[in-house]
Amino acid sequence: MAVSISVVLLLLVLAVVFMRSGGLRVSHALVCVLLGFLLASTSIAPTISNGLTATAHLVSGVRP
């Protein structure tokens, strides 16, 4: 589990650096995809899912 968390943190840092640099290339997108797959297998996945669901419900309730 410790190795998995280390990889997740490394990929998270790389994704933030890539996004801040302004250019998202294919290699950058691959890092982001790998980060998503690794986050899905961690214990924080249900929290992320619940947060995204709550945000979607909040946005869908807003009327223009």
Side-chain angles (χ1 to χ4, degrees):
M1 184 65 172
V3 174
S4 175
I5 292 172
S6 300
V7 173
V8 168
L9 289 177
L10 174 67
L11 289 175
L12 179 62
V13 168
L14 285 174
V16 169
V17 168
F18 290 153
M19 294 302 285
R20 289 185 60 127
S21 70
L24 187 65
R25 297 192 177 128
V26 174
S27 61
H28 304 155
L30 180 61
V31 169
C32 291
V33 168
L34 287 173
L35 174 63
F37 278 115
L38 287 174
L39 279 177
S41 66
T42 63
S43 61
I44 197 170
T47 305
I48 294 171
S49 179
N50 291 339
L52 289 174
T53 302
T55 303
H57 285 286
L58 180 70
V59 170
S60 67
V62 174
R63 300 286 177 212

